[in-house]
Amino acid sequence: NYFEELISKAKLQKEIKEVPKLPSYSGQMEVTEAKGIWIPATSQDPYAGSNNSNNQKRRNVTAYYTFIYLKAIQELRKQTFKPNDKGVPFEYFEWERVIVDEIHESLCTTKAEVAEDKTFKEKNRRAGRELLGITEKDILKRPLIFRKSIFGLTGTPLLDSSSRVIELASLMGNTYVIGLSSHWRKLERESSRDIFLHNYLEPKQSREVRKNIQGKCQEYLNVACCRNKTGEEMDGIDKLDHVRVVRMTSEEKKLYLKSQSGIAPDSKSLAITPADFDPSSGHDITKFLKQNASLPSRGKELLRICREILSTKGDEQTKIVIFTDGRIGAGDIARKFLCENATDGGSDPIGCTWLDVDDSIEVKNKKISWYQSGDATEEDRARPRALVLHFEHAAGLNLQTECHNLILFTPLYVGEGASTSDPVSDASTELQAIGRVFRAGQTHHEVNVYRIEVQGPNGEECLDGQLIRRNTDDETVAMAINAGE
């Protein structure tokens, strides 16, 4: 593999008999509360067995890999290569500039973020951290040497934790803001006793210390970070928001109420909110969300919107992007509405392209490319006009050159009910989805964003109306885009 070749080029084969493999984990989360009674001067586990005994072993493996990798790079740079030599590892070279896209992926990340992000696996995160040399303070010893500057690009706010800002400062400017002992991966080289003391003392950190850490982090961000300035490039491009209201039938109302799993019969209603679902009491909001997405009236409106767009003069061959919540199976639901026999009075189904769970990355990229460029052949023109994506695909895609119509199949809600949701995060994800077409490089003067709001049979506000108001609230949107000071 690549690492073996690097060690070979560095002439370390005799010293390093067994090349370590990249660990598939990026760090260990510690239990922060001691259980039972800890008797001093004994070997008793202060966590009473609640901690994973393999954590320290994993840290050792991780630290060893980092050590060998950086050592091989230093030895590699002592070698001399001829201009026509092939296979020289790129860590050997110097670069004028290094630009890291989606920089937040490799910075300090919680286990919850890793679990939520299905597209960027933990092993890939580990590889990114190694390549960037985040834990190496000496810039000249890092894998990527830049002569002029290093830039990090991200659409994800970096203000959510001081640890993440500390790593950003270390990577970008070789600047340690404050609190180096809190550096995320320093734990990988500490002993078990150090780790216990670290977690024991951390909660007792004074407010004054926390205030200074956060204050210094904010100072660094004010100096080193800037928002993308696309104002002039977006001049003349308007975003038009359309809320298409449709009423459910009496039969759909029965299914809507029945899907409110765990809710007492006398409490079930069209006005029920996600906060009314209590997961600790056995309420299952997932069934409710899925039924809301499955309402036939929603599917009919989706078809009507697509037919309306494609019947507009000049847009007969335009391409439409539809974002759905894949966690509740809404992507499959939208696909069925689009591909099965027309139920909206149209003669033929619209059809669509979707990213199948079994598709390879190559196949997924090929499918997406169909909606990034114009139709050059008859085969291109024969493809469906609609592309169905999940919200988790919202980051990183550029669809603005061929698409100027986007449909949000359902308003996004991520949570289990009660107070488990994060409106700012949901609004941010929707904005990222809209940003796939409403961005610099858009070739049309108007970008249409359609939302579908299903109301009760008599016009009663239901889940859609609640979530659309929540996700488009001015204050929530401002927080989602980090617009404030």
Side-chain angles (χ1 to χ4, degrees):
N1 60 29
Y2 182 83
F3 198 8
E4 289 174 336
E5 184 66 17
L6 191 153
I7 288 175
S8 174
K9 295 288 186 183
K11 300 182 178 179
L12 288 174
Q13 307 98 309
K14 292 183 179 180
E15 182 178 343
I16 303 173
K17 302 294 183 183
E18 185 175 347
V19 179
K21 293 183 179 180
L22 179 72
S24 58
Y25 28 76
S26 36
Q28 303 306 316
M29 296 296 290
E30 298 298 330
V31 176
T32 56
E33 294 181 356
K35 297 181 179 179
I37 300 174
W38 179 31
I39 303 175
T42 71
S43 60
Q44 178 65 37
D45 178 6
Y47 297 111
S50 62
N51 211 356
N52 187 338
S53 60
N54 289 324
N55 281 4
Q56 189 60 34
K57 295 178 183 178
R58 290 174 176 173
R59 279 186 212 94
N60 293 339
V61 170
T62 300
Y64 178 70
Y65 182 92
T66 302
F67 172 77
I68 294 297
Y69 180 52
L70 294 178
K71 180 176 181 178
I73 290 172
Q74 299 313 307
E75 293 301 317
L76 174 73
R77 290 171 179 164
K78 295 177 182 178
Q79 309 303 319
T80 302
F81 296 97
K82 298 177 182 178
N84 59 347
D85 284 346
K86 296 182 179 180
V88 180
F90 65 82
E91 290 93 338
Y92 176 77
F93 302 97
E94 292 182 3
W95 309 89
E96 288 299 300
R97 297 176 182 84
V98 173
I99 301 175
V100 188
D101 198 13
E102 306 295 353
I103 182 63
H104 65 278
E105 295 285 10
S106 296
L107 296 178
C108 173
T109 309
T110 66
K111 285 290 181 183
E113 286 179 285
V114 175
E116 288 175 6
D117 192 348
K118 305 301 182 185
T119 60
F120 200 83
K121 300 187 185 302
E122 202 168 356
K123 191 168 184 178
N124 298 345
R125 196 181 304 273
R126 275 278 317 159
R129 293 179 65 81
E130 291 293 348
L131 181 61
L132 294 173
I134 287 178
T135 56
E136 176 54 59
K137 289 193 288 185
D138 188 345
I139 288 180
L140 296 179
K141 292 182 179 179
R142 289 178 177 173
L144 294 178
I145 294 181
F146 55 89
R147 290 175 175 171
K148 290 186 177 179
S149 55
I150 179 171
F151 295 92
L153 308 179
T154 177
T156 301
L158 291 164
L159 303 175
D160 52 354
S161 74
S162 56
S163 297
R164 183 172 270 183
V165 177
I166 287 171
E167 289 206 343
L168 179 71
S170 167
L171 175 63
M172 293 297 157
N174 196 28
T175 303
Y176 283 87
V177 180
I178 192 172
L180 179 58
S181 63
S182 297
H183 201 289
W184 190 52
R185 274 185 48 200
K186 184 173 183 291
L187 290 177
E188 292 172 0
R189 296 181 175 85
E190 289 182 337
S191 68
S192 297
R193 179 178 177 278
D194 290 337
I195 292 165
F196 168 72
L197 292 175
H198 176 81
N199 284 291
Y200 179 75
L201 295 172
E202 190 174 33
K204 299 183 181 299
Q205 195 177 70
S206 71
R207 290 181 180 177
E208 190 66 25
V209 172
R210 293 199 301 271
K211 175 185 174 183
N212 274 280
I213 291 175
Q214 292 167 5
K216 293 296 182 183
C217 286
Q218 186 62 57
E219 284 181 23
Y220 174 79
L221 289 172
N222 291 342
V223 173
C225 300
C226 68
R227 291 185 60 199
N228 192 18
K229 297 178 176 63
T230 58
E232 293 182 3
E233 296 177 5
M234 296 300 290
D235 285 348
I237 303 174
D238 297 321
K239 178 170 72 72
L240 305 181
D241 293 301
H242 309 269
V243 178
R244 302 293 289 265
V245 178
V246 60
R247 296 186 179 185
M248 65 177 74
T249 64
S250 56
E251 283 301 313
E252 289 174 340
K253 176 183 175 180
K254 292 178 183 177
L255 294 173
Y256 186 83
L257 296 175
K258 184 179 179 181
S259 69
Q260 297 170 12
S261 179
I263 302 295
D266 58 345
S267 298
K268 294 183 177 182
S269 74
L270 294 175
I272 197 167
T273 69
D276 295 324
F277 286 80
D278 183 1
S280 63
S281 300
H283 301 171
D284 185 3
I285 196 172
T286 303
K287 293 181 180 178
F288 178 53
L289 294 173
K290 189 168 184 176
Q291 179 57 52
N292 183 54
S294 302
L295 295 172
S297 55
R298 184 186 305 279
K300 290 178 181 179
E301 188 60 28
L302 173 65
L303 290 169
R304 274 195 289 268
I305 294 172
C306 290
R307 293 194 196 283
E308 181 181 301
I309 292 171
L310 296 173
S311 63
T312 302
K313 186 176 180 180
D315 276 347
E316 294 84 356
Q317 287 295 310
T318 193
K319 298 172 184 179
I320 305 167
V321 183
I322 303 165
F323 272 98
T324 64
D325 186 356
R327 300 172 310 104
I328 59 172
D332 293 334
I333 295 167
R335 173 169 57 85
K336 289 178 181 177
F337 282 134
L338 291 165
C339 295
E340 291 181 352
N341 292 331
T343 58
D344 64 329
S347 56
D348 299 307
I350 296 289
C352 68
T353 299
W354 68 93
L355 308 184
D356 195 88
V357 66
D358 296 322
D359 285 346
S360 65
I361 292 178
E362 183 180 2
V363 170
K364 289 179 180 178
N365 288 340
K366 185 177 181 180
K367 287 182 176 180
I368 291 171
S369 71
W370 296 339
Y371 295 84
Q372 292 176 318
S373 56
D375 297 331
T377 65
E378 287 301 320
E379 183 183 4
D380 292 337
R381 285 184 277 274
R383 290 194 184 101
R385 299 292 93 189
L387 171 65
V388 175
L389 297 172
H390 294 166
F391 279 111
E392 65 185 48
H393 303 137
L397 293 181
N398 295 314
L399 301 169
Q400 71 274 28
T401 56
E402 285 299 313
C403 307
H404 67 107
N405 292 288
L406 181 139
I407 302 171
L408 300 180
F409 184 58
T410 58
L412 183 61
Y413 174 86
V414 178
E416 298 176 358
S419 59
T420 60
S421 71
D422 183 351
V424 175
S425 177
D426 291 347
S428 176
T429 301
E430 286 193 352
L431 289 171
Q432 280 215 337
I434 294 169
R436 298 314 94 210
V437 296
F438 185 59
R439 63 190 298 117
Q442 174 56 248
T443 56
H444 289 75
H445 295 301
E446 293 181 348
V447 172
N448 295 298
V449 178
Y450 296 88
R451 297 175 184 270
I452 301 173
E453 179 186 347
V454 178
Q455 296 182 346
N458 298 313
E460 303 93 333
E461 184 181 72
C462 297
L463 179 65
D464 286 349
Q466 301 163 15
L467 294 182
I468 289 174
R469 276 192 293 106
R470 184 193 76 149
N471 293 352
T472 58
D473 174 73
D474 289 342
E475 290 187 8
T476 304
V477 170
M479 293 173 67
I481 62 177
N482 235 15
E485 295 267 357

